[in-house]
Amino acid sequence: MTVSAGTTRRYSNATYRTLRRVKTAGLYAGVAAVLVYMLFPYYWAIVSSTKTGQALYQFTLLPALDFSNYRQLFDNPVFMGALVNSGVVALVSTAVSLVIGILAAYALGRLHFPPGRIVLIAVLMISVFPQVVVLSGMFEVIGWLGLYNRPSALIVSYLILTLPFTTWILTSFIRDLPNELEEAALIDGCSRLRILTHVLLPLMGPAIASTGLLSFILAWNEFLFALTFILTDENRTVPVAIGLLTGSSRYEYPFGQIMAASVTVTLPLLVLVLIFQRKIVAGLTSGAVKG
Amino acid sequence: MNAARRMERQQRRTAWIFLLPLLLTLMAVAIWPLARSIFFSFTDAYLDAPSDYGFVGIENFVEVAEDPVFWGAVRNTLVFTLVSVGLETLLGLAIALLLHRAFLGRGIVRAAILIPWAMPMVVSARIWEWMLNDQFGLINKLLVALGLVEKGVAWTADPSLILGTVIFIDVWVTTPFMVLLILAGLQLIPEEIYEAADVSGVPQWKRFWSITLPLATPAIGVAILFRTLDALRMFDLSYVLAANNENTMTMSIYARDQLISFQDLGLGAAASTWVFMIIGLIAIVIVGLLRLDRATG
C-alpha cells in the first residue's frame, strides 16, 4: 500500500495506525458479510420452524419458540421411519466403504504395485460418473438381488458414491504415514494384514474419522437413487421425504412443517461438521490439492 | 531368482488380494451397470419386462437427438454449469482471499461456512423456496419494503426467472466447497515469496496478479473440474424446485424421466448414454485445458 511505480512514500506513524485500523475494520466487515450470507438462511429456517399460523407470515427475526411443528413431526411415523432409514443406510454404506477402502488404500498406497495407477485413475473416473448413466443397469442389479423398494437397495447403490471417494482419500492419507514402523514389523515377520490392522490402523484414526464423516454426509444427502429405487413412503430416506412433501394445494404449503423437518435433518450433520471441522477440511482438500 | 524379485512378486500378489473387494464391488455397482445401460440403449426394452427386448441399432440415439426437449435440457444444463461454476469460482476466490488473512475466530468462521455445503440439497432448495415465496417470502418482503418492487416476485414460478433462481441457490450451496479448495491452494504458497515482494516493493494488485493467482491456479483448476462435473449431472435441485418444468430440466432429469416415468428402458438408456458422452467430452476438454496451463505457466 506504500508503493506506486517504484517510488516509496512514507507515512507518519499515526497515519499507519489509522490505515491499519481501517483495514482491520474492513476485514471484519467482510467476514461478517460472508457469515450472514452463508448462515442466515439456515437461521431463518430455525426461526420459521418455531412459528405457526399467522406468526409464520410475520417478519420477526427472533424465533417464536412454538414447538408444535416439531411435536407434529416427531409424532409422524413416516418421518421418523425415514430418519431411521437414512441413518441405517448412511451408516452401513459408510462402514462397508471404509473396510473395503482401507484394504485397497493399503495396496495402492503402500505396496509396490505398478497397475495401481490405473486402478486409481479408474476409481477417480467412477467418482465423477453422472449417476443417471448407471441408473438402468443398477435397476437391473437391484432387481436381481431382490432388493427393489428396500432400504438395503440404497446401501448397495450408494457404494458407487462412497467407495471411490473413501479409497481415493485414504490412499493419499496412507501414503503420508512414515515407513519405518512398517519395515520393523516386516522384519519381525508380521503378515501384511497384521501390519495394516496393528501398525497402520491405529495411526489412521483421524483420517478414518474424516473420510467416514464425509462419506456419511454423501450417503445421507443422496437423492436420485433414493427417489428411484424406493417406492413406498415407509422405506424412504429423509431427503426424499422432504422433497416429496407438498401441501394439498400450491397455496397451502406447510412451510412451518417443512422448515422443522429441514432443521431436524440438518442438525446432526452440523454438529458433526462443527466438531470435526479441521479433519473434514483436511479430508476434502488432501485428495484434490496433492492429487 | 534373487530375494528382491521374490519379494516384489509376493507384494504384487498381496496387493491383488487387498484390492479384490474393491475391484469386485466396483464391478458390481459401477462397471457392470454402466455396460448394461449402454447395452440397453441399443434395444427396445421396457422397464417392466427388461428381458424381453430386440435390437434396434442406433434408433434410440436418433430419437433422443431429434427431441427438442432433450436439447432444451442440454442447454439448461450447460447454462447452469457455466454461470454457476463461474460465479462460485469468483465468489469462492474472493471469500478464500478474505479468510486467508489472520483474524480472531478464523477457525470457527471456516467451520461455519461449511454449513450450506453439508446440508442436503433438498433442504437448501426448501429453505430458499420459502425465503423466495412470492407472498410470504422474506426476500420479497424486503424488496417491497425497500420499494424496489411493487409486489412479490414469483422467483420459482416465473419461467424467465426460475433458471436464475436455481443458479442462485446452487451458488449458495457450493461456494463453501470452492472456498475450502482455494484456501488449501493459497496455504501452499510459501510466505517467503510475499516477503521478497514486500522488500522489493511490489504493489498489492500486482502481487495478487503475478504471485497469488498463478500459484493458486492448479488448486483452482482442480476445484473447477470437480464442480463442473458435479454441476453437469445436477438432478435434485431442479427436481425439487420444479420437477418437470422444461425451463430448468437438466440432462439427468430428462434421462430419468424417459427411464422411470415413461418406463422406456431403451430410450432412457440412450438418453443417459448421450449424457455420458457429453460429460466425458467436456471432462476431456477441461483436463486438456488444465494441462495446457501447466505446460505454459
Side-chain angles (χ1 to χ4, degrees):
Chain A
M1 72 203 145
T2 57
V3 171
S4 56
T7 52
T8 310
R9 267 193 297 157
R10 289 190 183 282
Y11 295 112
S12 71
N13 276 343
T15 322
Y16 260 132
R17 225 172 296 139
T18 323
L19 262 176
R20 207 177 323 129
R21 267 194 210 135
V22 169
K23 269 188 119 179
T24 314
L27 176 63
Y28 281 103
V31 171
V34 169
L35 280 180
V36 169
Y37 170 61
M38 293 289 188
L39 301 187
F40 182 76
Y42 191 64
Y43 174 73
W44 189 244
I46 296 175
V47 170
S48 307
S49 70
T50 66
K51 290 176 179 173
T52 44
Q54 267 321 106
L56 191 55
Y57 308 119
Q58 242 104 72
F59 177 69
T60 42
L61 278 174
L62 286 176
L65 298 180
D66 168 354
F67 291 105
S68 49
N69 283 323
Y70 287 92
R71 230 167 286 134
Q72 260 179 296
L73 201 64
F74 292 135
D75 283 340
N76 179 347
V78 172
F79 182 78
M80 292 315 278
L83 264 182
V84 173
N85 289 337
S86 277
V88 171
V89 165
L91 267 180
V92 177
S93 43
T94 297
V96 173
S97 299
L98 280 178
V99 172
I100 300 177
I102 289 169
L103 289 173
Y106 181 64
L108 295 171
R110 283 307 235 215
L111 299 175
H112 178 75
F113 183 63
R117 238 193 106 65
I118 299 167
V119 174
L120 263 182
I121 290 172
V123 162
L124 192 65
M125 279 170 67
I126 290 173
S127 74
V128 296
F129 266 14
Q131 276 102 285
V132 77
V133 167
V134 293
L135 203 60
S136 48
M138 192 79 91
F139 211 93
E140 208 186 18
V141 171
I142 299 292
W144 284 337
L145 294 171
L147 297 179
Y148 191 58
N149 193 29
R150 291 192 193 176
S152 36
L154 301 182
I155 296 176
V156 173
S157 55
Y158 284 2
L159 291 177
I160 195 183
L161 301 173
T162 54
L163 191 52
F165 175 78
T166 47
T167 305
W168 184 260
I169 295 190
L170 288 172
T171 302
S172 85
F173 265 120
I174 222 169
R175 271 191 185 143
D176 290 344
L177 292 177
N179 242 325
E180 290 74 20
L181 285 168
E182 198 182 341
E183 277 162 10
L186 211 55
I187 289 165
D188 286 343
C190 261
S191 75
R192 292 285 181 177
L193 190 64
R194 216 180 142 75
I195 291 176
L196 178 59
T197 53
H198 285 71
V199 180
L200 294 178
L201 218 50
L203 298 173
M204 286 173 70
I208 292 171
S210 68
T211 316
L213 191 58
L214 288 168
S215 148
F216 183 87
I217 294 177
L218 218 57
W220 179 272
N221 292 354
E222 203 280 340
F223 186 73
L224 175 57
F225 290 152
L227 177 74
T228 306
F229 297 144
I230 302 293
L231 278 181
T232 47
D233 277 345
E234 70 271 13
N235 291 331
R236 296 221 188 272
T237 57
V238 244
V240 181
I242 296 178
L244 298 182
L245 208 68
T246 42
S248 42
S249 82
R250 221 194 108 66
Y251 298 98
E252 252 180 82
Y253 239 50
F255 274 116
Q257 280 273 311
I258 293 179
M259 288 306 111
S262 300
V263 170
T264 310
V265 193
T266 317
L267 212 56
L269 296 186
L270 297 193
V271 172
L272 289 172
V273 164
L274 292 181
I275 295 174
F276 291 103
Q277 53 107 351
R278 256 170 222 291
K279 300 203 170 73
I280 293 180
V281 173
L284 265 182
T285 50
S286 67
V289 178
K290 279 186 228 151
Chain B
M1 178 183 291
N2 59 44
R5 272 189 55 192
R6 199 174 329 134
M7 197 163 138
E8 200 172 287
R9 257 201 5 200
Q10 200 209 331
Q11 267 200 39
R12 230 182 258 202
R13 203 166 43 227
T14 320
W16 278 118
I17 296 170
F18 277 84
L19 277 176
L20 204 61
L22 173 80
L23 297 176
L24 287 178
T25 315
L26 287 184
M27 194 55 129
V29 299
I31 317 261
W32 174 257
L34 175 69
R36 285 299 278 180
S37 291
I38 294 173
F39 170 83
F40 279 130
S41 62
F42 295 103
T43 71
D44 57 5
Y46 267 78
L47 201 61
D48 48 3
S51 49
D52 181 23
Y53 59 80
F55 287 101
V56 293
I58 59 163
E59 203 178 274
N60 290 325
F61 289 92
V62 175
E63 200 177 327
V64 171
E66 281 172 349
D67 185 356
V69 179
F70 175 70
W71 292 109
V74 173
R75 193 196 62 100
N76 288 340
T77 311
L78 293 181
V79 170
F80 166 78
T81 303
L82 208 66
V83 179
S84 169
V85 176
L87 286 177
E88 73 196 45
T89 305
L90 291 178
L91 195 59
L93 183 62
I95 296 178
L97 285 170
L98 188 73
L99 299 189
H100 188 50
R101 292 157 188 251
F103 60 86
L104 211 65
R106 183 164 70 166
I108 299 166
V109 173
R110 244 184 249 179
I113 62 159
L114 274 171
I115 288 175
W117 169 83
M119 284 186 196
M121 189 57 114
V122 175
V123 168
S124 312
R126 289 302 204 195
I127 291 178
W128 279 103
E129 196 177 32
W130 167 228
M131 291 185 39
L132 294 169
N133 183 283
D134 48 351
Q135 294 179 56
F136 313 114
L138 181 65
I139 306 278
N140 278 325
K141 277 189 183 159
L142 269 177
L143 290 178
V144 173
L146 290 171
L148 292 173
V149 290
E150 274 181 24
K151 65 183 191 61
V153 181
W155 300 102
T156 52
D158 187 330
S160 61
L161 293 176
I162 184 160
L163 188 58
T165 306
V166 169
I167 290 172
F168 174 81
I169 298 175
D170 189 72
V171 168
W172 180 76
V173 170
T174 47
T175 298
F177 178 79
M178 216 59 170
V179 172
L180 285 183
L181 288 194
I182 297 176
L183 256 179
L186 292 178
Q187 270 150 8
L188 291 180
I189 303 175
E191 220 19 70
E192 293 81 40
I193 300 184
Y194 291 105
E195 280 159 20
D198 248 347
V199 171
S200 40
V202 178
Q204 204 62 220
W205 65 268
K206 206 173 175 185
R207 260 188 250 182
F208 171 73
W209 202 249
S210 30
I211 303 174
T212 311
L213 210 52
L215 288 177
T217 299
I220 299 174
V222 171
I224 290 179
L225 177 68
F226 278 162
R227 277 298 311 136
T228 303
L229 294 176
D230 208 31
L232 286 170
R233 61 186 178 186
M234 192 271 272
F235 177 85
D236 33 15
L237 183 55
S238 274
Y239 187 87
V240 172
L241 276 185
N244 291 322
N245 188 327
E246 282 185 18
N247 296 299
T248 53
M249 181 185 275
T250 62
M251 300 192 291
S252 288
I253 294 181
Y254 177 88
R256 184 187 177 275
D257 252 8
Q258 304 299 325
L259 193 69
I260 307 296
S261 308
F262 309 141
Q263 300 274 305
D264 195 333
L265 185 52
L267 207 61
S272 56
T273 307
W274 269 118
V275 174
F276 188 57
M277 291 190 291
I278 292 171
I279 295 184
L281 191 71
I282 295 173
I284 291 170
V285 169
I286 297 180
V287 171
L289 284 177
L290 288 178
R291 287 260 164 79
L292 207 70
D293 273 354
R294 233 170 265 169
T296 52

